[in-house]
Amino acid sequence: MAQSSPLASLMARVRESQARYDAISPGIPEAMRGQVKPGPIDDKGWSLLAANSAVASKLRQLLPEFEQSLLNRGWQGTPIRIRVQSG
């Protein structure tokens, strides 16, 4: 995989998404952590995947806290999107 540029890029984005999730996860209420997953990261932002709309609503309330956690760790200017997982 390391020899394939597209796959190497994809793996780097997956690692970065997980690292960002690890940085904000202490701010997610413990009861909700199993209902939130790190999602894709691209030039337009990073997504958090919520199990349902109630979880998504709570995550939106916590966005300023998440953004501050990311800024404190050196990730600047990437908007966080909240998406409800389908299916």
Side-chain angles (χ1 to χ4, degrees), residues 17-82:
S17 180
Q18 184 63 49
R20 287 174 185 243
Y21 180 79
D22 292 344
I24 65 148
S25 64
I28 300 172
E30 191 171 334
M32 286 178 35
R33 286 187 194 150
Q35 299 177 42
V36 180
K37 295 179 183 177
I41 188 167
D42 56 32
D43 295 338
K44 296 179 183 173
W46 173 52
S47 296
L48 282 174
L49 306 176
N52 57 56
S53 59
V55 171
S57 179
K58 181 61 178 176
L59 291 174
R60 286 184 185 97
Q61 292 175 351
L62 296 170
L63 277 177
E65 190 176 316
F66 296 159
E67 289 168 348
Q68 188 60 50
S69 292
L70 294 176
L71 282 172
N72 291 345
R73 288 170 177 81
W75 285 297
Q76 298 185 17
T78 305
I80 302 172
R81 301 175 297 236
I82 307 298

